[in-house]
Amino acid sequence: MRSDEFYMHRALDQARLAFDAGEVPVGAVVVSAEGAIIGAGYNAPIGCHDPSAHAEVQAIRAAAAQLGNYRLLDCTLFVTLEPCMMCLGAIMQARVARLVYAAAEPKSGMIESRANLAAQPWHFHQPLIQGGVLASASAQLLKRFFSERRSASR
């Protein structure tokens, strides 16, 4: 099994695809217990005309299709930004065993920034969670995206 940083770099590759498509640069990969990337995705709500087309949901959908199972037992999801409420719900519904994210999301993050929904005792599933892996690289990509967007709108 490779390091968390290795897989987060793969998620950052996905985030760059979102950036290039004009979408908020968030990327995600799902990794099997054996260390294979079985799903990848990036933010695409604009291009897909789908408000649920966040990176996590895209990667979960791809992994579930690859496995032929909606449950991603023993899998790890790597994502470049702290998940929102919708994505955290999808992570829990998919029974992802472990969640690793890069940068905190102060506006809508539901792990550490706005709330800690994952730790609530009533949930049927609680993934192991680690934040901050390559947080600086993720934050820099997001800052560059929004800076360029502001400059273009002037």
Side-chain angles (χ1 to χ4, degrees), residues 9-82:
H9 278 294
R10 305 296 75 79
L12 283 164
D13 291 342
Q14 292 293 309
R16 288 183 198 93
L17 293 174
F19 186 104
D20 293 343
E23 303 270 4
V24 174
V26 178
V29 296
V30 176
V31 178
S32 72
E34 296 76 32
I37 294 174
I38 58 170
Y42 58 86
N43 267 8
I46 297 166
C48 290
H49 310 291
D50 179 357
S52 70
H54 288 197
E56 300 95 323
V57 173
Q58 301 284 70
I60 287 169
R61 287 175 178 159
Q66 175 73 22
L67 292 179
N69 191 338
Y70 72 100
R71 290 195 173 165
L72 304 179
L73 305 173
D74 301 321
C75 292
T76 300
L77 175 73
F78 291 84
V79 62
T80 61
L81 191 64
E82 179 185 3

